Coordinates of all heavy atoms in Angstrom, one line a residue:
M1 N -3.2 11.6 3.4 CA -3.3 10.1 3.5 C -3.1 9.5 2.1 O -3.8 10.0 1.2 CB -4.6 9.6 4.2 CG -4.6 8.2 4.4 SD -6.0 7.7 5.5 CE -6.2 6.0 5.0
S2 N -2.4 8.5 2.0 CA -2.3 7.9 0.6 C -3.5 7.1 0.2 O -4.3 6.6 1.1 CB -1.0 6.9 0.7 OG 0.1 7.5 1.0
R3 N -3.8 7.1 -1.1 CA -5.0 6.4 -1.6 C -4.6 5.0 -2.0 O -5.4 4.4 -2.7 CB -5.6 7.2 -2.7 CG -6.2 8.5 -2.2 CD -6.9 9.2 -3.2 NE -6.4 9.2 -4.5 CZ -6.7 10.0 -5.5 NH1 -7.6 10.9 -5.2 NH2 -6.1 10.0 -6.6
Y4 N -3.4 4.5 -1.8 CA -3.1 3.2 -2.2 C -2.5 2.5 -0.9 O -1.9 3.1 0.0 CB -1.9 3.3 -3.3 CG -0.8 4.1 -2.9 CD1 0.3 3.5 -2.3 CD2 -0.8 5.4 -3.3 CE1 1.4 4.3 -2.0 CE2 0.2 6.2 -3.0 CZ 1.4 5.7 -2.4 OH 2.4 6.5 -2.0
R5 N -2.6 1.1 -0.9 CA -2.2 0.4 0.3 C -0.9 -0.2 0.2 O -0.1 -0.4 1.2 CB -3.1 -0.8 0.5 CG -4.6 -0.4 0.8 CD -5.5 -1.7 1.0 NE -5.4 -2.6 -0.2 CZ -6.4 -2.6 -1.2 NH1 -7.4 -1.7 -1.1 NH2 -6.3 -3.5 -2.1
S6 N -0.2 -0.3 -1.1 CA 1.1 -0.9 -1.3 C 1.5 -0.5 -2.6 O 0.7 0.0 -3.4 CB 1.0 -2.4 -1.1 OG 0.1 -2.9 -2.0
L7 N 2.7 -0.8 -2.9 CA 3.2 -0.5 -4.3 C 2.6 -1.3 -5.3 O 2.1 -0.8 -6.3 CB 4.7 -0.9 -4.4 CG 5.7 0.2 -4.0 CD1 7.1 -0.2 -4.0 CD2 5.5 1.5 -4.6
P8 N 2.2 -2.7 -5.1 CA 1.4 -3.4 -6.2 C 0.0 -2.8 -6.3 O -0.5 -2.6 -7.4 CB 1.3 -4.8 -5.5 CG 2.5 -4.9 -4.7 CD 2.8 -3.6 -4.1
H9 N -0.5 -2.3 -5.2 CA -1.9 -1.6 -5.3 C -1.8 -0.4 -6.1 O -2.7 -0.1 -6.9 CB -2.4 -1.4 -3.9 CG -3.8 -0.8 -3.9 ND1 -4.1 0.5 -3.4 CD2 -5.0 -1.2 -4.4 CE1 -5.4 0.8 -3.6 NE2 -5.9 -0.3 -4.1
L10 N -0.7 0.4 -5.9 CA -0.5 1.6 -6.6 C -0.4 1.3 -8.1 O -1.0 1.9 -9.0 CB 0.7 2.4 -6.0 CG 1.2 3.6 -6.8 CD1 0.1 4.7 -6.9 CD2 2.4 4.2 -6.3
A11 N 0.4 0.3 -8.4 CA 0.6 -0.1 -9.8 C -0.7 -0.6 -10.5 O -0.9 -0.2 -11.6 CB 1.6 -1.3 -9.9
E12 N -1.5 -1.2 -9.7 CA -2.8 -1.6 -10.2 C -3.7 -0.4 -10.4 O -4.4 -0.2 -11.6 CB -3.5 -2.6 -9.2 CG -3.0 -4.0 -9.2 CD -3.6 -4.8 -8.1 OE1 -4.7 -4.3 -7.6 OE2 -3.0 -5.9 -7.7
Q13 N -3.6 0.5 -9.5 CA -4.4 1.8 -9.9 C -3.9 2.5 -11.0 O -4.7 3.0 -11.8 CB -4.3 2.8 -8.7 CG -5.1 2.3 -7.4 CD -5.1 3.3 -6.3 OE1 -4.0 3.9 -6.0 NE2 -6.2 3.5 -5.6
I14 N -2.7 2.7 -11.2 CA -2.0 3.3 -12.3 C -2.3 2.6 -13.6 O -2.7 3.2 -14.7 CB -0.5 3.5 -12.3 CG1 -0.1 4.5 -11.1 CG2 0.2 4.0 -13.6 CD1 1.3 4.6 -10.7
E15 N -2.3 1.2 -13.6 CA -2.7 0.6 -14.8 C -4.1 0.8 -15.2 O -4.4 0.8 -16.4 CB -2.4 -1.0 -14.5 CG -1.0 -1.5 -14.6 CD -0.7 -2.9 -14.3 OE1 -1.7 -3.5 -13.6 OE2 0.3 -3.4 -14.6
G16 N -5.0 0.7 -14.2 CA -6.4 0.9 -14.5 C -6.7 2.3 -15.0 O -7.5 2.3 -16.0
V17 N -6.1 3.3 -14.6 CA -6.4 4.6 -15.1 C -5.9 4.7 -16.5 O -6.4 5.1 -17.5 CB -5.6 5.7 -14.3 CG1 -5.6 7.1 -15.0 CG2 -6.2 5.7 -12.9
A18 N -4.6 4.1 -16.8 CA -4.0 4.1 -18.1 C -4.8 3.3 -19.0 O -5.0 3.6 -20.3 CB -2.6 3.5 -18.1
R19 N -5.3 2.2 -18.5 CA -6.2 1.2 -19.4 C -7.4 1.9 -19.8 O -8.0 1.6 -20.9 CB -6.4 -0.1 -18.7 CG -6.7 -1.3 -19.6 CD -6.9 -2.6 -18.8 NE -5.8 -2.9 -17.9 CZ -6.0 -3.0 -16.5 NH1 -7.1 -2.7 -15.9 NH2 -4.9 -3.2 -15.8
A20 N -7.9 2.8 -19.0 CA -9.2 3.6 -19.3 C -8.8 4.7 -20.2 O -9.7 5.5 -20.7 CB -9.7 4.1 -18.0
G21 N -7.6 4.9 -20.6 CA -7.2 5.9 -21.6 C -7.2 7.3 -21.0 O -7.1 8.2 -21.7
K22 N -7.0 7.3 -19.6 CA -6.9 8.6 -19.0 C -5.6 8.9 -18.6 O -4.7 8.0 -18.6 CB -7.9 8.5 -17.6 CG -9.3 8.4 -17.9 CD -10.1 8.3 -16.7 CE -11.6 8.1 -17.0 NZ -12.4 7.9 -15.7
Q23 N -5.3 10.1 -18.3 CA -4.0 10.6 -18.0 C -3.8 10.3 -16.5 O -4.6 10.5 -15.7 CB -3.9 12.1 -18.1 CG -2.5 12.7 -17.9 CD -2.5 14.2 -18.4 OE1 -3.5 14.9 -18.5 NE2 -1.3 14.7 -18.5
V24 N -2.5 9.8 -16.2 CA -2.2 9.5 -14.8 C -1.6 10.7 -14.2 O -0.6 11.3 -14.7 CB -1.2 8.3 -14.7 CG1 -0.8 8.0 -13.3 CG2 -1.9 7.1 -15.4
V25 N -2.2 11.1 -13.1 CA -1.6 12.3 -12.4 C -1.3 11.9 -10.9 O -2.0 11.1 -10.3 CB -2.8 13.4 -12.3 CG1 -2.1 14.6 -11.4 CG2 -3.3 13.8 -13.6
L26 N 0.0 12.2 -10.6 CA 0.6 11.8 -9.4 C 0.9 12.9 -8.5 O 1.3 14.0 -8.9 CB 1.9 10.9 -9.6 CG 1.8 9.7 -10.5 CD1 3.2 9.2 -10.7 CD2 0.9 8.7 -9.9
T27 N 0.6 12.8 -7.2 CA 1.1 13.9 -6.2 C 2.6 13.8 -6.2 O 3.2 12.8 -6.6 CB 0.5 13.5 -4.9 OG1 1.1 12.2 -4.3 CG2 -1.0 13.4 -4.8
P28 N 3.2 14.8 -5.8 CA 4.7 14.8 -5.7 C 5.2 13.6 -4.8 O 6.1 13.1 -5.2 CB 5.1 16.2 -5.0 CG 4.0 17.0 -5.4 CD 2.6 16.2 -5.5
E29 N 4.5 13.4 -3.7 CA 4.9 12.3 -2.9 C 4.9 11.0 -3.5 O 5.8 10.1 -3.5 CB 3.9 12.3 -1.6 CG 4.3 11.1 -0.6 CD 3.2 10.8 0.4 OE1 2.3 11.8 0.5 OE2 3.3 10.0 1.1
T30 N 3.8 10.8 -4.3 CA 3.6 9.4 -5.1 C 4.6 9.3 -6.2 O 5.2 8.4 -6.5 CB 2.2 9.4 -5.6 OG1 1.2 9.4 -4.5 CG2 2.0 8.0 -6.3
A31 N 4.8 10.5 -6.9 CA 5.8 10.6 -7.9 C 7.1 10.2 -7.4 O 7.9 9.5 -8.1 CB 5.9 12.0 -8.6
R32 N 7.5 10.6 -6.3 CA 8.9 10.3 -5.7 C 8.9 8.8 -5.4 O 9.9 8.1 -5.7 CB 9.1 11.1 -4.4 CG 9.6 12.5 -4.7 CD 10.2 13.1 -3.5 NE 9.1 13.4 -2.4 CZ 8.4 14.4 -2.4 NH1 8.6 15.4 -3.3 NH2 7.5 14.6 -1.4
L33 N 7.8 8.2 -4.8 CA 7.7 6.9 -4.6 C 7.9 6.1 -5.9 O 8.6 5.1 -6.1 CB 6.5 6.4 -3.9 CG 6.2 5.1 -3.6 CD1 7.3 4.5 -2.5 CD2 4.8 4.8 -3.0
V34 N 7.2 6.5 -7.0 CA 7.3 5.8 -8.3 C 8.5 5.8 -8.9 O 9.2 4.9 -9.3 CB 6.1 6.3 -9.3 CG1 6.4 5.9 -10.7 CG2 4.7 5.9 -8.8
A35 N 9.3 7.0 -8.7 CA 10.6 7.2 -9.2 C 11.6 6.2 -8.5 O 12.5 5.6 -9.1 CB 11.1 8.6 -9.1
A36 N 11.5 6.2 -7.2 CA 12.3 5.3 -6.4 C 12.0 3.8 -6.9 O 13.0 3.0 -7.0 CB 12.0 5.4 -4.9
A37 N 10.8 3.5 -7.0 CA 10.4 2.1 -7.5 C 11.1 1.8 -8.9 O 11.5 0.7 -9.2 CB 9.0 1.8 -7.4
L38 N 11.0 2.8 -9.8 CA 11.5 2.6 -11.1 C 13.1 2.4 -11.1 O 13.6 1.7 -11.8 CB 11.2 3.7 -12.0 CG 9.7 3.8 -12.5 CD1 9.4 5.2 -13.1 CD2 9.4 2.6 -13.4
K39 N 13.7 3.2 -10.2 CA 15.2 3.1 -10.0 C 15.5 1.7 -9.6 O 16.4 1.1 -10.0 CB 15.7 4.1 -9.1 CG 15.8 5.5 -9.6 CD 16.3 6.5 -8.6 CE 16.3 7.9 -9.1 NZ 16.6 8.8 -8.1
A40 N 14.8 1.2 -8.6 CA 15.1 -0.1 -8.0 C 14.8 -1.2 -9.1 O 15.5 -2.2 -9.3 CB 14.1 -0.4 -6.8
F41 N 13.7 -1.0 -9.9 CA 13.4 -1.9 -10.9 C 14.5 -2.0 -12.0 O 14.7 -3.1 -12.5 CB 12.1 -1.6 -11.5 CG 11.6 -2.5 -12.7 CD1 11.1 -3.7 -12.4 CD2 11.8 -2.0 -14.0 CE1 10.6 -4.5 -13.5 CE2 11.4 -2.8 -15.0 CZ 10.8 -4.0 -14.8
S42 N 15.0 -0.8 -12.3 CA 16.0 -0.8 -13.4 C 17.4 -1.1 -12.9 O 18.2 -1.3 -13.8 CB 16.0 0.6 -14.0 OG 16.4 1.6 -13.1
T43 N 17.6 -1.4 -11.7 CA 18.9 -1.7 -11.1 C 19.1 -3.2 -11.6 O 18.3 -4.1 -11.4 CB 18.9 -1.7 -9.6 OG1 18.6 -0.4 -9.1 CG2 20.2 -2.2 -9.1
N44 N 20.2 -3.3 -12.3 CA 20.7 -4.7 -12.7 C 22.1 -4.8 -12.4 O 22.9 -4.6 -13.2 CB 20.3 -4.8 -14.3 CG 20.4 -6.2 -14.6 OD1 20.7 -7.1 -13.9 ND2 20.4 -6.4 -16.0
P45 N 22.4 -5.3 -11.1 CA 23.7 -5.4 -10.8 C 24.6 -6.4 -11.6 O 24.0 -7.4 -12.0 CB 23.7 -5.8 -9.3 CG 22.3 -6.3 -9.1 CD 21.5 -5.7 -10.1
K46 N 25.8 -6.0 -11.8 CA 26.6 -6.9 -12.6 C 26.9 -8.2 -11.7 O 27.0 -8.1 -10.6 CB 27.9 -6.2 -13.1 CG 27.6 -5.2 -14.0 CD 28.9 -4.6 -14.5 CE 28.5 -3.7 -15.7 NZ 29.1 -2.5 -16.0
A47 N 27.3 -9.3 -12.3 CA 27.5 -10.6 -11.8 C 28.7 -10.5 -10.8 O 28.6 -10.8 -9.6 CB 27.7 -11.7 -12.7
D48 N 29.7 -9.7 -11.2 CA 30.9 -9.5 -10.3 C 30.5 -8.7 -9.1 O 31.1 -9.0 -8.0 CB 32.0 -8.8 -11.1 CG 32.7 -9.6 -12.1 OD1 32.3 -10.8 -12.2 OD2 33.6 -9.1 -12.8
T49 N 29.6 -7.8 -9.2 CA 29.2 -7.0 -8.0 C 28.4 -8.0 -7.1 O 28.7 -7.9 -5.8 CB 28.3 -5.8 -8.4 OG1 29.0 -5.0 -9.3 CG2 27.9 -4.9 -7.2
I50 N 27.6 -8.7 -7.5 CA 26.7 -9.7 -6.7 C 27.7 -10.6 -6.2 O 27.6 -10.9 -4.8 CB 25.6 -10.3 -7.5 CG1 24.6 -9.3 -8.0 CG2 24.9 -11.4 -6.6 CD1 23.7 -10.0 -9.1
A51 N 28.7 -11.2 -6.8 CA 29.5 -12.2 -6.4 C 30.3 -11.6 -5.2 O 30.5 -12.3 -4.2 CB 30.5 -12.6 -7.4
A52 N 30.8 -10.4 -5.3 CA 31.6 -9.8 -4.3 C 30.7 -9.5 -3.1 O 31.2 -9.7 -1.9 CB 32.1 -8.4 -4.7
A53 N 29.5 -9.3 -3.2 CA 28.6 -9.0 -2.1 C 28.3 -10.3 -1.3 O 28.0 -10.3 -0.2 CB 27.3 -8.3 -2.5
V54 N 28.1 -11.4 -2.0 CA 27.8 -12.7 -1.4 C 28.9 -13.6 -1.0 O 28.7 -14.5 -0.4 CB 26.8 -13.6 -2.3 CG1 25.6 -12.7 -2.7 CG2 27.5 -14.0 -3.5
C55 N 30.1 -13.2 -1.3 CA 31.3 -14.1 -1.1 C 31.4 -14.3 0.5 O 31.4 -13.3 1.2 CB 32.6 -13.4 -1.6 SG 33.9 -14.5 -1.4
M56 N 31.6 -15.5 0.8 CA 31.5 -15.8 2.3 C 33.0 -16.2 2.7 O 33.2 -16.5 4.0 CB 30.7 -17.1 2.5 CG 29.2 -16.8 2.2 SD 28.5 -15.6 3.2 CE 28.2 -16.5 4.7
S57 N 33.9 -16.2 1.7 CA 35.3 -16.5 2.2 C 35.9 -15.4 3.0 O 35.5 -14.2 2.8 CB 36.2 -16.8 1.0 OG 36.5 -15.6 0.3
R58 N 36.8 -15.7 3.9 CA 37.4 -14.7 4.8 C 38.1 -13.5 4.0 O 38.1 -12.4 4.4 CB 38.3 -15.4 5.7 CG 37.7 -16.0 6.9 CD 38.7 -16.5 7.9 NE 37.8 -17.2 8.8 CZ 38.3 -17.6 10.0 NH1 39.5 -17.2 10.4 NH2 37.6 -18.3 10.8
Q59 N 38.8 -14.0 3.0 CA 39.5 -13.0 2.2 C 38.8 -12.3 1.2 O 39.2 -11.4 0.6 CB 40.8 -13.7 1.6 CG 41.9 -14.1 2.5 CD 41.6 -15.4 3.2 OE1 40.8 -16.2 2.7 NE2 42.2 -15.5 4.4
R60 N 37.6 -12.6 1.0 CA 36.6 -12.2 -0.1 C 37.5 -12.4 -1.5 O 38.7 -12.2 -1.5 CB 36.4 -10.7 0.0 CG 35.5 -10.3 1.2 CD 34.3 -9.8 0.8 NE 33.4 -9.7 1.9 CZ 32.1 -9.7 1.7 NH1 31.5 -9.6 0.6 NH2 31.3 -9.6 2.8
C61 N 36.7 -12.9 -2.4 CA 37.3 -13.3 -3.7 C 37.8 -12.1 -4.4 O 37.1 -11.1 -4.5 CB 36.3 -13.9 -4.6 SG 35.5 -15.4 -3.8
T62 N 39.0 -12.1 -4.9 CA 39.5 -10.9 -5.8 C 39.0 -11.2 -7.1 O 38.6 -10.3 -7.8 CB 41.0 -11.0 -5.8 OG1 41.5 -12.2 -6.1 CG2 41.6 -10.4 -4.4
E63 N 38.9 -12.5 -7.5 CA 38.2 -12.8 -8.7 C 37.1 -13.7 -8.3 O 37.2 -14.6 -7.3 CB 39.1 -13.7 -9.6 CG 40.3 -12.9 -10.2 CD 39.7 -12.0 -11.3 OE1 39.0 -12.4 -12.2 OE2 40.3 -10.9 -11.3
P64 N 35.8 -13.5 -8.8 CA 34.7 -14.3 -8.3 C 35.0 -15.8 -8.4 O 35.4 -16.3 -9.4 CB 33.5 -14.0 -9.3 CG 34.0 -12.6 -9.8 CD 35.4 -12.6 -9.9
C65 N 34.9 -16.5 -7.3 CA 35.0 -18.0 -7.3 C 33.8 -18.7 -7.9 O 32.9 -18.0 -8.2 CB 35.3 -18.4 -5.9 SG 33.8 -18.3 -4.8
F66 N 34.0 -20.0 -8.2 CA 32.9 -20.7 -8.8 C 31.6 -20.6 -8.0 O 30.5 -20.3 -8.6 CB 33.3 -22.2 -8.9 CG 32.4 -23.0 -9.6 CD1 32.3 -23.0 -11.0 CD2 31.5 -23.9 -8.9 CE1 31.3 -23.8 -11.6 CE2 30.6 -24.7 -9.6 CZ 30.5 -24.7 -11.0
R67 N 31.7 -20.8 -6.7 CA 30.5 -20.7 -5.8 C 29.8 -19.3 -5.9 O 28.6 -19.2 -6.1 CB 30.8 -21.0 -4.4 CG 29.7 -20.9 -3.4 CD 30.1 -21.0 -1.9 NE 29.1 -20.5 -1.1 CZ 28.8 -19.3 -0.9 NH1 29.5 -18.3 -1.4 NH2 27.8 -19.0 -0.1
C68 N 30.6 -18.3 -5.8 CA 30.0 -16.9 -5.8 C 29.6 -16.6 -7.2 O 28.4 -16.0 -7.3 CB 31.1 -15.9 -5.4 SG 31.7 -16.0 -3.7
S69 N 30.2 -17.1 -8.2 CA 29.7 -16.8 -9.6 C 28.4 -17.5 -9.8 O 27.4 -16.9 -10.4 CB 30.7 -17.2 -10.6 OG 31.9 -16.5 -10.4
G70 N 28.3 -18.7 -9.2 CA 26.9 -19.4 -9.4 C 25.8 -18.7 -8.7 O 24.7 -18.5 -9.3
I71 N 26.1 -18.3 -7.5 CA 25.0 -17.4 -6.8 C 24.6 -16.2 -7.6 O 23.5 -15.8 -7.7 CB 25.5 -17.2 -5.4 CG1 25.6 -18.5 -4.5 CG2 24.6 -16.1 -4.7 CD1 26.2 -18.3 -3.2
A72 N 25.7 -15.5 -8.1 CA 25.6 -14.2 -8.8 C 24.6 -14.5 -10.0 O 23.8 -13.7 -10.3 CB 26.8 -13.6 -9.2
N73 N 24.9 -15.6 -10.7 CA 24.1 -15.9 -11.9 C 22.7 -16.2 -11.5 O 21.7 -15.7 -12.2 CB 24.6 -17.1 -12.6 CG 25.9 -16.7 -13.4 OD1 26.1 -15.6 -13.9 ND2 26.8 -17.7 -13.5
L74 N 22.4 -16.9 -10.4 CA 21.0 -17.1 -9.9 C 20.3 -15.9 -9.6 O 19.2 -15.6 -10.0 CB 21.1 -18.1 -8.7 CG 21.6 -19.5 -9.0 CD1 21.5 -20.2 -7.6 CD2 20.6 -20.2 -9.9
V75 N 21.1 -14.9 -8.9 CA 20.4 -13.7 -8.6 C 20.0 -12.9 -9.8 O 19.0 -12.3 -9.9 CB 21.4 -12.8 -7.6 CG1 20.8 -11.5 -7.4 CG2 21.5 -13.6 -6.2
Q76 N 21.0 -12.8 -10.8 CA 20.7 -12.1 -12.1 C 19.6 -12.7 -12.7 O 18.6 -12.0 -13.3 CB 21.9 -12.2 -13.0 CG 22.9 -11.1 -12.5 CD 24.0 -10.8 -13.6 OE1 24.4 -11.8 -14.2 NE2 24.1 -9.7 -14.0
Q77 N 19.3 -14.0 -12.7 CA 18.2 -14.6 -13.3 C 16.9 -14.2 -12.6 O 15.8 -14.1 -13.3 CB 18.3 -16.2 -13.4 CG 19.4 -16.6 -14.3 CD 19.6 -18.1 -14.4 OE1 18.6 -18.8 -14.2 NE2 20.9 -18.5 -14.5
I78 N 17.0 -14.1 -11.3 CA 15.8 -13.7 -10.6 C 15.4 -12.3 -10.9 O 14.3 -12.0 -11.0 CB 16.0 -13.9 -9.0 CG1 16.2 -15.4 -8.8 CG2 14.8 -13.3 -8.2 CD1 16.6 -15.7 -7.3
Y79 N 16.4 -11.5 -11.1 CA 16.1 -10.0 -11.5 C 15.3 -10.1 -12.8 O 14.4 -9.2 -13.0 CB 17.4 -9.2 -11.7 CG 17.8 -8.5 -10.4 CD1 18.8 -9.0 -9.4 CD2 17.2 -7.2 -10.1 CE1 19.1 -8.2 -8.4 CE2 17.6 -6.5 -9.0 CZ 18.4 -7.0 -8.1 OH 18.8 -6.3 -7.0
E80 N 15.8 -10.9 -13.7 CA 15.2 -10.9 -15.1 C 13.8 -11.6 -15.1 O 13.0 -11.2 -15.8 CB 16.1 -11.7 -16.0 CG 17.4 -11.0 -16.3 CD 18.4 -11.9 -17.0 OE1 18.0 -13.0 -17.4 OE2 19.5 -11.4 -17.1
N81 N 13.6 -12.5 -14.2 CA 12.3 -13.2 -14.1 C 12.1 -13.8 -12.7 O 12.4 -14.8 -12.4 CB 12.2 -14.3 -15.2 CG 10.9 -15.1 -15.1 OD1 10.0 -14.7 -14.4 ND2 10.8 -16.1 -15.9
P82 N 11.5 -13.0 -11.8 CA 11.3 -13.4 -10.4 C 10.6 -14.7 -10.3 O 10.8 -15.4 -9.3 CB 10.5 -12.2 -9.9 CG 10.7 -11.1 -10.7 CD 10.9 -11.6 -12.1
E83 N 9.7 -15.0 -11.2 CA 9.0 -16.4 -11.0 C 10.0 -17.5 -11.1 O 9.6 -18.7 -10.6 CB 7.9 -16.4 -12.2 CG 6.9 -15.4 -12.2 CD 6.0 -15.5 -10.9 OE1 5.7 -16.6 -10.5 OE2 5.8 -14.4 -10.3
R84 N 11.1 -17.4 -11.7 CA 12.1 -18.5 -11.7 C 12.4 -19.0 -10.4 O 12.7 -20.2 -10.2 CB 13.2 -18.1 -12.6 CG 13.0 -17.9 -14.0 CD 14.2 -17.9 -14.9 NE 14.8 -19.3 -14.7 CZ 15.8 -19.7 -15.3 NH1 16.5 -19.1 -16.0 NH2 16.2 -21.0 -15.1
A85 N 12.5 -18.1 -9.4 CA 12.9 -18.6 -8.1 C 12.0 -19.6 -7.5 O 12.5 -20.3 -6.7 CB 12.8 -17.4 -7.2
F86 N 10.8 -19.7 -8.1 CA 9.8 -20.8 -7.5 C 9.8 -22.0 -8.3 O 9.1 -23.0 -8.1 CB 8.4 -20.2 -7.4 CG 8.5 -18.9 -6.4 CD1 8.6 -17.7 -7.0 CD2 8.4 -19.1 -5.1 CE1 8.5 -16.6 -6.2 CE2 8.5 -18.0 -4.3 CZ 8.5 -16.7 -4.8
M87 N 10.6 -22.0 -9.4 CA 10.5 -23.2 -10.3 C 11.5 -24.3 -9.8 O 12.6 -23.9 -9.4 CB 10.9 -22.8 -11.8 CG 10.0 -21.9 -12.5 SD 10.6 -21.3 -14.1 CE 9.3 -20.2 -14.5
P88 N 11.0 -25.5 -9.8 CA 11.8 -26.6 -9.3 C 13.2 -26.7 -9.9 O 14.2 -26.9 -9.2 CB 10.9 -27.9 -9.4 CG 9.6 -27.3 -9.5 CD 9.7 -26.0 -10.2
E89 N 13.2 -26.6 -11.2 CA 14.5 -26.8 -11.9 C 15.5 -25.7 -11.6 O 16.7 -25.9 -11.5 CB 14.3 -26.9 -13.4 CG 13.7 -25.6 -13.9 CD 12.2 -25.6 -14.1 OE1 11.6 -26.4 -13.3 OE2 11.6 -24.8 -14.8
F90 N 14.9 -24.5 -11.1 CA 15.8 -23.4 -10.8 C 16.6 -23.7 -9.5 O 17.6 -23.2 -9.2 CB 15.0 -22.1 -10.6 CG 15.8 -20.9 -10.4 CD1 16.5 -20.4 -11.4 CD2 15.8 -20.3 -9.2 CE1 17.3 -19.2 -11.3 CE2 16.5 -19.1 -9.0 CZ 17.3 -18.6 -9.9
K91 N 15.9 -24.5 -8.6 CA 16.5 -24.8 -7.3 C 17.4 -26.1 -7.4 O 17.7 -26.6 -6.4 CB 15.4 -25.1 -6.3 CG 14.7 -23.7 -6.0 CD 13.6 -24.0 -4.9 CE 13.0 -22.6 -4.6 NZ 12.0 -22.7 -3.6
G92 N 17.6 -26.6 -8.5 CA 18.3 -27.7 -8.8 C 17.6 -29.1 -8.5 O 18.2 -30.2 -8.5
D93 N 16.4 -29.0 -8.4 CA 15.5 -30.1 -8.1 C 15.4 -30.9 -9.5 O 14.9 -30.5 -10.4 CB 14.1 -29.7 -7.7 CG 13.2 -30.9 -7.2 OD1 13.6 -32.0 -7.5 OD2 12.3 -30.6 -6.5
K94 N 16.0 -32.1 -9.5 CA 16.0 -32.8 -10.7 C 14.9 -33.9 -10.8 O 15.0 -34.8 -11.6 CB 17.4 -33.6 -10.8 CG 18.6 -32.7 -10.8 CD 18.6 -31.8 -12.0 CE 19.9 -31.0 -11.9 NZ 19.8 -29.8 -12.5
R95 N 13.8 -33.8 -10.0 CA 12.8 -34.8 -10.0 C 12.0 -34.8 -11.3 O 11.9 -33.9 -12.1 CB 11.7 -34.5 -9.0 CG 12.1 -35.1 -7.5 CD 11.1 -34.8 -6.6 NE 11.3 -33.4 -6.1 CZ 10.4 -32.8 -5.3 NH1 9.2 -33.3 -5.1 NH2 10.6 -31.5 -5.0
Ligands
ZN1 ZN1 33.8 -16.3 -3.4

């Protein structure tokens, strides 16, 4: 049975052990989970790839269109700083 409830909980446990100056030891199962999380974290899709994935036109854009490029830029910004997704100016709110 795992000793963590979720990935954030696991991260907190690892941080706590590291902060205490102790060596972090992971079971093979947890190490695989951490490796998968690191791979996902380090994934930084290119704007053209995102644009191709989100394109809603029937023919799919051969070159990213303005709309798809805009969405791709927003997604890239969220990858860089997830908190931005909750900022009013990020959503185009001009209040
Ligand atoms: Zn498009």
Side-chain angles (χ1 to χ4, degrees):
M1 184 172 159
S2 301
R3 294 192 312 202
Y4 53 91
R5 297 184 301 265
S6 62
L7 278 177
H9 182 241
L10 174 61
E12 287 172 14
Q13 285 186 321
I14 290 172
E15 282 177 343
V17 173
R19 208 175 303 115
K22 295 181 181 172
Q23 187 173 17
V24 177
V25 180
L26 304 175
T27 64
E29 178 190 355
T30 303
R32 281 192 293 274
L33 180 63
V34 169
L38 287 172
K39 285 180 187 173
F41 177 78
S42 64
T43 299
N44 191 3
K46 293 185 166 140
D48 287 357
T49 303
I50 297 170
V54 301
C55 185
M56 299 296 281
S57 76
R58 280 185 189 200
Q59 285 82 23
R60 295 246 168 197
C61 306
T62 51
E63 292 287 319
C65 66
F66 183 76
R67 179 192 163 279
C68 297
S69 295
I71 293 171
N73 286 332
L74 292 176
V75 171
Q76 279 195 314
Q77 289 177 36
I78 291 170
Y79 266 97
E80 292 168 9
N81 181 3
E83 295 299 315
R84 291 202 64 180
F86 301 99
M87 295 177 182
E89 63 272 17
F90 188 72
K91 294 181 176 181
D93 190 342
K94 304 292 185 209
R95 278 182 278 167

